[in-house]
């Protein structure tokens, strides 16, 4: 039977999945906001969409991931955001603002790939040969059960990994050659409509500010105004299940400041939705003079909670498949906060890209595989006057750089900036840029975890068969045909959980399939596979 509207619902984790679930509970299921509680162990909600002031002595700003959205793919996300008002105008929804900003500041990268001699490459020359196209076609055609737990590089020859296509695809989504071939296939199918726009990233959609200020904060304020309670600094350390095959969740065990903080007993009509795992668990920060630590001992409770839950039933997943090899899943990003427009103006002069229109530029021959984005300014709502921010990442930080003879993972922020300046080649302004720039570095042990090789049973269903009062949310649940490392995937998990348990009589928007549109299929596949 559907849950009662008077049920109390506990949402474990404060990422976009839990926040979306809270919104669907209030908006679509009619649950009173005061009956919904979000439990988050960090001092801020948002998960991988979080960003703001850097928690280091240098100050400045920090962004964890360069999260962007796409019109056709983000059907559940848009469904959510079309009813969430912006912070500046309650008559304008977040969805409307994103649409308006795309028209005002359309993305069209003119320097998507930069060669080793600092010249801008023709990114439209994808570089695929006949064998590459055949291998892509084969991967797209194979059923997932036949692909299994194989790696991306099990399906392609070395030539493929030297193409512009792979360079652009992997740096846009943060894929590695050892990642899941199934997950690559899912992302290719989810974004097939972007194939012919890949060189310009013109299908990218962004908020006026960073994802936290543009999406998370308006959503959080909407929830708070409706009575939803958010408890920060609270870790759910364990969960008790009861009944045959652990089909009912009866108790949550809480910790605060490292000490036990009691339990939450779930009544007969109460529910708990638990976010499993985390891409941002154990994130460590560095600044101009320090190196971010690589945390290997799981101080964050996200993975330990899933490991404990998984012991209760065989269909609760296998977390070790995703968090068991940090050397394969770790990632590092950086944010520059500069005083004055010197660096932005020089980049614009070199690339022709106005801040906010150029998306990602990648130095494809750099040993770190370094990428940089210059967003529209201000990128943060509290950004000081005459201050500007840039964001970047590297996918091969475990080797010495081209201009700094150290692994990125061993570099201070100042050394990361030196490597970037070396690739930019702006020697005449380098010293001034160093003097006017604060840099925040971020090391994330599980940044690539959603892409790890897996079997069909390694991720649990959002609602396991027979689950009476619980569901699983986030990037590490199984949603058929979904692209795991997207906000859309997390929001879809939330909608699925709420609509199932609360009997919401509304259709969940079906996933977008570009291949079902003959025009899209003809254009996109013609670009890559013809």
């Amino acid at each position: 039977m559907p849950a009662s509207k008077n049920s109390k619902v506990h949402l474990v984790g404060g990422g976009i999945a839990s926040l979306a679930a809270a919104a669907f509970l209030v908006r679509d299921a009619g649950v009173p906001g005061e009956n919904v509680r979000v439990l988050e162990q960090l001092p801020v909600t948002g998960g991988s969409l979080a960003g703001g002031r850097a928690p280091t002595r240098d100050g400045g700003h920090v962004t964890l991931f360069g999260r962007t959205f796409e019109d056709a793919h983000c059907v559940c996300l848009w469904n959510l955001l079309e009813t969430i008002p912006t912070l500046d105008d309650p008559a304008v929804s977040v969805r409307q603002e994103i649409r308006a900003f795309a028209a005002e500041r359309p993305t069209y990268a003119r320097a998507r790939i930069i060669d080793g001699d600092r010249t801008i490459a023709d990114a439209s020359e994808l570089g695929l040969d006949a064998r590459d196209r055949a291998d892509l076609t084969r991967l797209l055609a194979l059923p997932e059960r036949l692909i299994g737990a194989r790696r991306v590089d099990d399906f392609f020859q070395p030539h493929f990994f030297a193409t512009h296509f792979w360079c652009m695809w992997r740096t846009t989504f943060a894929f590695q050659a050892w990642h899941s071939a199934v997950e690559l296939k899912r992302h290719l199918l989810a974004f097939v409509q972007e194939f012919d726009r890949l060189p310009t990233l013109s299908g990218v959609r962004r908020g006026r500010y960073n994802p936290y200020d543009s999406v998370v904060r308006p959503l959080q304020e909407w929830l708070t105004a409706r009575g939803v309670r958010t408890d920060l600094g609270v870790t759910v350390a364990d969960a008790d299940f009861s009944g045959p095959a652990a089909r009912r969740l009866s108790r949550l065990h809480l910790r605060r400041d490292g000490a036990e903080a009691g339990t939450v007993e779930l009544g007969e009509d109460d529910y708990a939705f638990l976010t499993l795992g985390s891409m941002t668990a154990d994130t460590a920060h560095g600044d101009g003079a320090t190196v971010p630590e690589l945390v290997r001992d799981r101080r964050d409770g996200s993975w330990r909670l899933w490991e404990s839950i998984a012991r209760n039933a065989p269909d609760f997943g296998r977390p070790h498949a995703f968090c068991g090899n940090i050397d394969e899943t770790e990632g590092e990003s950086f944010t520059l906060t500069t005083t004055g427009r010197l660096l932005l103006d020089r980049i614009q002069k070199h690339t022709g890209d106005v801040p906010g229109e150029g998306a990602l530029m990648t130095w494809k021959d750099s040993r770190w595989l370094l990428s940089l984005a210059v967003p529209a300014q201000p990128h943060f709502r509290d950004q000081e006057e005459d201050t500007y921010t840039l964001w970047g990442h590297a996918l091969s930080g475990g080797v010495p750089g081209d201009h700094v003879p150290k692994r990125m993972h061993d570099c201070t922020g100042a050394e990361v900036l030196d490597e970037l300046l070396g690739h930019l080649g702006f020697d005449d302004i380098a010293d001034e840029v160093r003097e006017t720039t604060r840099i925040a570095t971020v090391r994330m042990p599980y940044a690539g975890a959603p892409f790890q090789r897996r079997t069909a049973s390694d991720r649990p269903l959002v609602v396991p068969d027979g689950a009476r009062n619980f569901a699983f949310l986030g990037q590490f649940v199984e949603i058929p045909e979904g692209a795991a490392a997207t906000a859309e995937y997390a929001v879809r998990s939330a909608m699925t959980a709420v609509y199932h348990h609360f009997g919401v009589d509304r259709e969940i928007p079906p996933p977008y399939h570009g291949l079902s549109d003959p025009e899209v299929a003809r254009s996109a596949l013609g670009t890559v596979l013809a």
Side-chain angles (χ1 to χ4, degrees):
M1 291 180 60
S4 165
K5 292 182 180 180
N6 293 321
S7 299
K8 291 182 172 59
V9 186
H10 305 274
L11 302 169
V12 178
I16 188 62
S18 280
L19 298 181
F24 294 137
L25 284 164
V26 174
R27 189 192 76 177
D28 299 339
V31 177
E34 56 268 21
N35 287 4
V36 180
R37 182 186 185 193
V38 178
L39 300 164
E40 168 56 49
Q41 62 185 329
L42 296 178
V44 65
T45 59
S48 62
L49 300 184
R53 292 285 177 175
T56 56
R57 63 182 181 182
D58 281 6
H61 290 85
V62 64
T63 298
L64 302 183
F65 291 98
R67 289 294 200 185
T68 54
F69 313 115
E70 195 269 348
D71 270 338
H73 174 70
C74 295
V75 289
C76 292
L77 179 66
W78 298 145
N79 179 286
L80 169 67
L81 297 182
E82 67 187 6
T83 55
I84 304 300
T86 63
L87 296 180
D88 296 318
D89 187 346
V92 177
S93 72
V94 173
R95 172 64 177 128
Q96 288 172 322
E97 182 182 64
I98 290 174
R99 186 183 290 115
F101 189 68
E104 173 189 328
R105 195 68 65 89
T107 300
Y108 194 91
R110 295 173 176 82
R112 180 63 185 87
I113 293 179
I114 301 176
D115 287 328
D117 61 1
R118 304 192 183 101
T119 59
I120 296 170
D122 181 0
S124 66
E125 294 292 333
L126 300 182
L128 299 168
D129 63 16
R131 176 60 186 268
D132 298 330
R133 298 175 193 276
D135 290 340
L136 270 170
T137 303
R138 173 173 172 255
L139 178 62
L140 292 174
L142 271 179
E144 290 187 5
R145 60 182 175 79
L146 296 182
I147 298 173
R150 284 187 284 176
R151 301 159 47 121
V152 172
D153 55 11
D154 288 333
F155 283 83
F156 297 95
Q157 300 299 307
H159 178 270
F160 173 78
F161 298 103
T163 63
H164 281 176
F165 175 82
W166 174 245
C167 177
M168 290 186 287
W169 192 269
R170 70 178 302 207
T171 52
T172 299
F173 295 101
F175 267 102
Q176 302 282 14
W178 57 80
H179 280 154
S180 162
V182 165
E183 201 59 48
L184 176 61
K185 172 183 174 172
R186 288 191 177 195
H187 277 71
L188 289 167
L189 291 174
F191 295 100
V192 66
Q193 66 277 10
E194 296 302 318
F195 278 10
D196 55 352
R197 297 189 292 231
L198 191 60
T200 63
L201 290 175
S202 56
V204 163
R205 298 293 177 261
R206 290 172 281 204
R208 187 168 297 278
Y209 301 102
N210 65 86
Y212 180 75
D213 284 332
S214 286
V215 174
V216 175
R217 281 188 59 192
L219 178 54
Q220 183 70 69
E221 290 203 8
W222 187 90
L223 294 172
T224 300
R226 282 150 185 79
V228 174
R229 176 182 172 189
T230 301
D231 286 348
L232 301 175
V234 177
T235 299
V236 176
D238 206 349
D240 295 341
F241 292 81
S242 59
R247 297 298 102 168
R248 185 178 186 279
L249 198 158
S250 56
R251 183 180 299 108
L252 301 175
H253 297 264
L254 309 184
R255 296 182 67 84
R256 188 187 292 271
D257 299 326
E260 293 184 5
T263 62
V264 174
E265 306 291 331
L266 272 67
E268 188 62 29
D269 293 328
D270 295 343
Y271 287 75
F273 297 167
L274 301 92
T275 300
L276 300 182
S278 170
M279 295 170 64
T280 57
D282 289 326
T283 290
H285 297 264
D287 59 21
T290 62
V291 179
E293 176 187 9
L294 177 60
V295 179
R296 292 182 177 274
D297 54 356
R298 298 188 196 167
R299 299 168 200 171
D300 182 296
S302 303
W303 292 102
R304 284 186 277 118
L305 175 62
W306 187 10
E307 288 172 337
S308 179
I309 288 171
R311 299 186 187 105
N312 289 277
D315 61 344
F316 285 4
R318 183 172 165 267
H320 192 74
F322 305 97
C323 68
N325 192 338
I326 287 175
D327 292 330
E328 287 190 353
T329 59
E330 69 167 309
E332 188 165 353
S333 67
F334 59 91
T335 307
L336 309 182
T337 304
T338 70
T339 302
R341 293 187 56 93
L342 179 64
L343 182 57
L344 266 68
D345 288 345
R346 182 59 69 87
I347 290 174
Q348 181 174 341
K349 180 179 179 181
H350 179 61
T351 64
D353 287 329
V354 175
E357 296 181 8
L360 206 63
M361 62 184 82
T362 296
W363 286 268
K364 72 175 181 67
D365 298 318
S366 67
R367 293 176 182 171
W368 290 356
L369 192 57
L370 199 62
S371 296
L372 183 71
V374 185
Q377 304 294 319
H379 192 48
F380 296 85
R381 291 183 66 91
D382 63 348
Q383 206 166 304
E384 300 92 341
E385 187 176 353
D386 199 33
T387 298
Y388 306 89
T389 64
L390 305 84
W391 176 87
H393 69 80
L395 292 185
S396 301
V399 299
D402 298 283
H403 303 279
V404 175
K406 296 170 65 174
R407 303 186 320 154
M408 182 186 189
H409 299 329
D410 299 325
C411 285
T412 64
E415 291 168 326
V416 171
L417 179 58
D418 283 345
E419 180 74 10
L420 175 64
L421 289 170
H423 284 291
L424 286 166
F426 302 159
D427 296 340
D428 57 321
I429 64 170
D431 287 341
E432 187 173 349
V433 169
R434 292 186 183 97
E435 292 172 1
T436 57
T437 301
R438 291 167 285 172
I439 181 166
T441 53
V442 179
R443 201 163 179 190
M444 298 167 285
Y446 308 104
F451 295 141
Q452 284 295 86
R453 300 179 304 284
R454 62 182 187 275
T455 62
S457 61
D458 287 340
R459 298 192 303 203
L461 297 174
V462 174
V463 182
D465 290 341
R468 289 179 52 193
N469 70 334
F470 66 91
F472 299 133
L473 307 178
Q475 256 74 47
F476 300 96
V477 297
E478 178 56 34
I479 301 176
E481 302 180 8
T486 63
E488 169 67 13
Y489 195 88
V491 174
R492 182 174 291 276
S493 74
M495 185 177 277
T496 300
V498 172
Y499 284 23
H500 173 88
H501 278 307
F502 285 80
V504 177
D505 188 20
R506 296 177 61 173
E507 181 185 11
I508 296 177
Y512 175 78
H513 292 296
L515 292 183
S516 64
D517 183 329
E519 184 176 345
V520 170
R522 184 166 51 252
S523 173
L525 296 183
T527 299
V528 175
L529 302 181

